[in-house]
Amino acid sequence: MRYALDVQYNGKNYSGSQIQFENGEEIKEPTIQGEIEKAISTLIIGGRDVTENKNRQVKTIFSGRTDKGVNALGQVLHFDFDKNIVASDFIYHLNEILPYDISVNNLRIVSNDFHAQKSAISRYYRYEFINRRYKQAFDGDILRVKFSVNIERMQKALNYLLGEHDFTSFKSSGTLNPSKVCILTRAEVEKQGDRVFIHIEGNRFLYNMVRTSVGTLLEIEGHNLQSEFMKEVLEAKDRRKAGQTVSPYGLTLVEVKYNT
């Protein structure tokens, strides 16, 4: 049977969501996937050597990769297991095993052709930053922008990203997929007090695409440029034209959507 699992996590203490390999060998850095696979395997397979013997561990497929420091409220993964799992017991006991900064909140049986990554029709990310000149004790790691931002101008700039475009200008060199075309269905900005939230939803995202888009917005605001600058960057298909890739802290994968 195939199961889908909803996951939440704080990404600060992990080297991204997914296990990484170098020269065919697993990199010994903590990841969300590594912790979840170990916990699931301990719970439903058991045995003293399950955490050391990779061949005995349950394998998971995530909806997509998030980098170190990126959080998730609605990450989705799937795994296969040949026995029936009682969802309520599974969720409770798995949360007891997992580290304090990772939790699960929903388990469901899905069809065998369901794929957490390939079946997804859209992903919704939210980026948060502080718009205040001075720091406060509980700002944490979230980016603080000291100059005042113009929300109306930022929204006009974001509007140029809506629709189907080649987002080469906003990708980092780590993008392995040769396709650079994405479709954005939502690109909105809102301000609540001294917090600014940027909401971006699309069918797929390139490596660091959201963070570079935010960096370009801040380039516009910091240099008092016209909102049309975003269009120029998009059409240039040149990473050198875009702004910096901002800090991962403040970026959250909020939801992954499926047809079923």
Side-chain angles (χ1 to χ4, degrees):
M1 287 183 284
R2 178 158 293 181
Y3 293 89
L5 184 65
D6 295 344
V7 183
Q8 298 182 348
Y9 51 82
N10 182 327
K12 181 178 180 179
N13 296 321
Y14 301 93
S15 296
S17 60
Q18 292 177 275
I19 296 171
Q20 303 296 312
F21 294 87
E22 185 174 318
N23 299 323
E25 296 291 328
E26 181 180 330
I27 299 174
K28 299 299 182 181
E29 296 287 343
T31 63
I32 304 298
Q33 183 182 19
E35 294 295 334
I36 288 179
E37 289 186 355
K38 181 171 63 176
I40 293 176
S41 301
T42 299
L43 181 59
I44 65 177
I45 297 177
R48 289 186 176 181
D49 65 336
V50 71
T51 59
E52 299 298 330
N53 187 345
K54 299 299 183 182
N55 293 326
R56 294 196 62 215
Q57 287 196 17
V58 172
K59 305 302 180 184
T60 62
I61 301 293
F62 278 54
S63 69
R65 170 185 174 182
T66 57
D67 293 331
K68 177 179 174 61
V70 178
N71 306 320
L73 291 174
Q75 176 69 275
V76 178
L77 62 82
H78 80 255
F79 65 92
D80 296 326
F81 190 61
D82 59 2
K83 296 180 182 179
N84 185 57
I85 298 175
V86 179
S88 59
D89 291 343
F90 177 85
I91 291 170
Y92 171 77
H93 290 294
L94 190 63
N95 279 327
E96 292 296 299
I97 297 172
L98 285 167
Y100 73 95
D101 45 9
I102 305 175
S103 66
V104 299
N105 57 13
N106 186 33
L107 177 76
R108 58 199 179 277
I109 297 175
V110 292
S111 63
N112 287 333
D113 61 354
F114 174 87
H115 193 283
Q117 179 185 16
K118 297 177 181 179
S119 299
I121 59 174
S122 74
R123 296 161 176 85
Y124 161 35
Y125 284 90
R126 180 186 68 216
Y127 192 89
E128 173 186 0
F129 66 84
I130 299 167
N131 191 205
R132 188 192 330 112
R133 184 178 179 184
Y134 53 89
K135 72 175 184 179
Q136 292 183 354
F138 293 99
D139 286 345
D141 298 304
I142 295 178
L143 174 68
R144 177 165 54 94
V145 176
K146 299 179 183 179
F147 53 82
S148 180
V149 298
N150 183 317
I151 298 300
E152 291 185 359
R153 179 168 54 191
M154 291 178 71
Q155 184 59 60
K156 289 180 180 178
L158 281 171
N159 289 341
Y160 289 111
L161 301 182
L162 289 170
E164 184 174 359
H165 302 286
D166 183 324
F167 282 89
T168 296
S169 292
F170 301 93
K171 74 176 182 68
S172 291
S173 58
T175 302
L176 299 177
N177 193 320
S179 175
K180 306 303 184 291
V181 176
C182 306
I183 303 173
L184 294 194
T185 55
R186 182 183 183 187
E188 299 173 356
V189 60
E190 64 171 329
K191 190 172 185 181
Q192 299 179 11
D194 59 11
R195 302 277 173 146
V196 177
F197 300 90
I198 298 167
H199 309 275
I200 299 182
E201 182 174 346
N203 67 326
R204 60 189 295 268
F205 290 88
L206 307 180
Y207 184 43
N208 285 341
M209 176 175 154
V210 175
R211 290 162 56 195
T212 305
S213 298
V214 174
T216 305
L217 278 177
L218 295 179
E219 183 85 3
I220 292 171
E221 293 305 302
H223 293 86
N224 200 29
L225 304 175
Q226 296 297 313
S227 57
E228 287 77 12
F229 180 75
M230 183 69 82
K231 181 181 179 182
E232 295 175 12
V233 172
L234 181 67
E235 294 178 343
K237 300 173 185 169
D238 184 347
R239 176 63 185 87
R240 294 171 296 179
K241 302 293 184 181
Q244 294 184 350
T245 300
V246 295
S247 165
Y249 302 116
L251 180 60
T252 300
L253 173 60
V254 178
E255 184 180 9
V256 182
K257 296 180 180 179
Y258 299 89
N259 281 323
T260 56

